[in-house]
Amino acid sequence: MITTLSGDTSRLRATVDFVKEQDTATLLRLLLPGLDGPELRALAERCGFSHAALLVFPPDDAALDATLADCGLVADAPPRPSVIVRERLAVRHKRSAAELDVGILRPAVVCRDGARRWVEVFTLTVPPASDLDTVAAYERERQHEAHVAFEVETPDPLVLRGLCAAFGRYGAVPDGGGYNPHENGTVFYFTAPADAKAGYRRVELYVPGDHRDVLSAHLDEHRARQPAETLLRLLTGAWTTQALAAFVRLDVADAMDGNAMDGKRAVGVAELARDVGASAPNLATLLRYLAMLGVVSEDRDGFRLTDTGTLLRADAEGSMRALALMYGGPFYESFAGLDHTVRTGQVAFEQRFGENHFDHFARDPELAELFDRSMAAGSRMFDPLPAHPVLTAAAAEGATVVDIAGGNGELLGRILSAHPRLHGVLLERPHTVETARRLLGAAGHTERCAFRAGDFADVPAGADVYVLSRVLHDWDDDRCREILRHCARAMTDTADLLVVERVLPADGSASLATAWDLHMMCNVGGRERRADHYARLFADAGLTLVDRTPLPLDGSVLHVRRTGPADTGSKV
């Protein structure tokens, strides 16, 4: 299994640096824009910046100690149980709190201003091959428990109510809390306003002692506003999709050229509007909405791209521009027919466009190219794949890798770049093969790569490794069995098949796979599947699931080998 311990180390080191560099007044101003003058001084006198927190997932105690040491941290006491984080995880992942043994460590840090503060490290041990892997992957991606904390100097009920009210006046929203009897402390959580500049969205007020009477009102406010606000944000999700698509269609991200200093030059609205041919007042409205989403930021000089917004530039590494156009274009139109799909079982895309999406895209070269680029835009999922043990072992032998339905060659190019001794074969539709030939040629892989135009029935025999990336989710079970039988017939007894898919969680926990399951049903007539479902499909084709390795963006690599002679029958 690919380790993510180094990721925990880098996150922890960044947290340590943040704690060292901040002071109370500066951090309050960053978290609560507009807070200044006497009110800022009053808050800073009554609550002091005490720590920043994150959640890590060591495989064992020794690994945790090594991670702390790498970051210059020393824990002077064993972890104490974390009641609040454990319960939040249990709710979020629909698990029993009893199986989530979350601890808290608070190693001290000497800061640049001479103050002594802490890094609060929540720890959830996740041994290798544990069923908690999905929890760890989800939490690392979303960082729900990362926060900054202020400790209240005078734990008086009037002071607490005043602090909560002040946070609310400057846009912070109650976000839960609780009382931890193991350390006799009460926690008030807030979500920082959207225009906060600190890099943290969650803020904690920590108060020594039991203050559940004040906490009760805080939690009531959180519960009272959450359902309606949550539903409203969900209902306006279509606005977000189209705002991002319009931003791309107007080429605004590309017009916000970087300068030599930081690559993110601030540009005034009038200049931008002139460059992209838009109405300045209307463009300003769009940009303010996107600023709320964190796609751009605004200052007195104008708007500039954030790291998120940079991914919408055409020339950005890992650009997701094509996805914005695809999700805001054909797939947006077809999703209007989702109720038709749910009611009848028919594919909404086919109802809207009169043919399946493969045929529809193939008829339009520009749309076909956009689709291939949108598939490549999710390439972050592939980052760890070239290091998979199967490919590493194959590279030592100078083996051949076949990428079946490999699109424009994005994934195969990554594999060949990582392993100069490997040879590749890309199997795709004729028009896509030519695109892949150009892209892989530009990357210098032509001499080591062959190109074959064809269908799944044309999988070349005798290769060492076969890759089937994000293909099976396009099809129903019968077609998947047929595709897998083509693979099995081509494979020798020692060949490996790597299947890359988003796998539905067995426990119903939140996952991108669940969202893509809906997308595939509506637009393709396919589906995402659980690991045991894939195992049955493999078995029907004479294949065996050997193991499963996680990938970013809730992806997985399913390592598959031949069971024996391939089943070429028509079992369903």
Side-chain angles (χ1 to χ4, degrees), residues 459-518:
V459 176
D464 304 282
V465 181
Y466 293 83
V467 177
L468 202 59
S469 176
R470 297 183 298 178
V471 169
L472 296 181
H473 72 166
D474 287 335
W475 306 100
D476 63 21
D477 283 1
D478 288 345
R479 179 62 165 150
C480 284
R481 292 186 185 96
E482 182 182 349
I483 293 168
L484 290 168
R485 288 185 179 119
H486 288 310
C487 295
R489 280 194 290 269
M491 294 168 64
T492 65
D493 290 342
T494 59
D496 297 283
L497 170 64
L498 299 181
V499 175
V500 178
E501 293 287 356
R502 288 189 172 96
V503 177
L504 288 170
D507 59 1
S509 58
S511 169
L512 286 172
T514 305
W516 257 257
D517 196 22
L518 188 71

Side-chain angles (χ1 to χ4, degrees), residues 231-264:
L231 184 58
L232 193 58
R233 290 181 184 276
L234 293 173
L235 288 170
T236 58
W239 302 355
T240 297
T241 303
Q242 285 303 328
L244 292 169
F247 187 66
V248 168
R249 291 190 197 106
L250 291 167
D251 292 322
V252 183
D254 294 288
M256 298 171 81
D257 292 325
N259 59 29
M261 296 295 293
D262 62 7
K264 296 185 180 68

